[in-house]
Amino acid sequence: QRTLKSKAHNYPKAPVEIKRSQVSLAETFTTPSQFMTSEIKAKTTRVRYANRAGLAPSVFVLSGELLCVNTSSQPVEAVSLTVVPLDAFHQPINTPGQQQGFTMQQTLGSLPRGASKRIVWEQPIGSADVYEVAVIITRVRFADGKVWSAPNEELLDAF
């Protein structure tokens, strides 16, 4: 496991702001008899066995933690994050099953006006060549059902 650079971006007048972002990259191993689905996570280990016979290829996983603050005048019930893994040349790294160089993470939970909340996320990635991870809040759903969306602009231009 290694700690990566993490760059958070807050749009002007965004109702929820990222105050702190931390990201790490870990290599995990599973046996061929285990399978992973979106509903059930297989038990994995970060230990590399001396005899790898019969093991499936390793999977790299980004793990992140954010501290977010509700700066709006209303309670928030959901936040959508966009996570962009970048290589050393600031180019996006595609994640398995994704066409774009970014993924969306949705977090549900109440965030009262002026309160802060720790958000934890995890994302499989197809490469260990991640140098930096950019994180941005792109949508916020308020308790009254209204939704704030980030301006339509190229994500990489924000970083």
Side-chain angles (χ1 to χ4, degrees):
Q1 180 172 346
R2 71 181 161 104
T3 302
L4 300 173
K5 288 183 178 183
S6 178
K7 184 184 267 187
H9 176 76
N10 292 305
Y11 283 104
K13 299 183 182 177
V16 176
E17 290 184 1
I18 300 171
K19 294 295 183 183
R20 185 180 66 235
S21 176
Q22 298 173 319
V23 179
S24 63
L25 177 70
E27 185 176 13
T28 61
F29 302 90
T30 60
T31 61
S33 62
Q34 295 174 321
F35 63 93
M36 294 170 58
T37 66
S38 59
E39 299 86 31
I40 302 170
K41 289 189 179 182
K43 291 184 180 180
T44 58
T45 178
R46 293 183 179 157
V47 177
R48 184 185 302 261
Y49 295 98
N51 180 0
R52 298 267 326 253
L55 290 180
S58 61
V59 175
F60 294 97
V61 178
L62 289 172
S63 300
E65 180 178 317
L66 304 172
L67 179 64
C68 295
V69 177
N70 180 353
T71 57
S72 75
S73 60
Q74 306 177 57
V76 169
E77 68 178 20
V79 173
S80 180
L81 305 172
T82 298
V83 177
V84 186
L86 302 166
D87 66 16
F89 299 98
H90 208 68
Q91 298 301 307
I93 297 173
N94 288 339
T95 56
Q98 297 288 325
Q99 295 296 328
Q100 319 93 316
F102 63 89
T103 57
M104 304 291 280
Q105 302 280 333
Q106 181 175 306
T107 304
L108 301 173
S110 177
L111 184 56
R113 183 181 113 180
S116 61
K117 183 176 186 169
R118 186 176 141 254
I119 297 175
V120 178
W121 57 269
E122 218 174 62
Q123 176 63 46
I125 183 101
S127 171
D129 298 331
V130 181
Y131 178 77
E132 180 178 26
V133 176
V135 182
I136 190 165
I137 293 175
T138 50
R139 291 190 309 178
V140 174
R141 181 179 196 83
F142 297 101
D144 66 3
K146 293 181 182 171
V147 175
W148 172 88
S149 293
N152 287 335
E153 62 181 56
E154 186 68 33
L155 274 176
L156 291 178
D157 291 344
F159 300 99

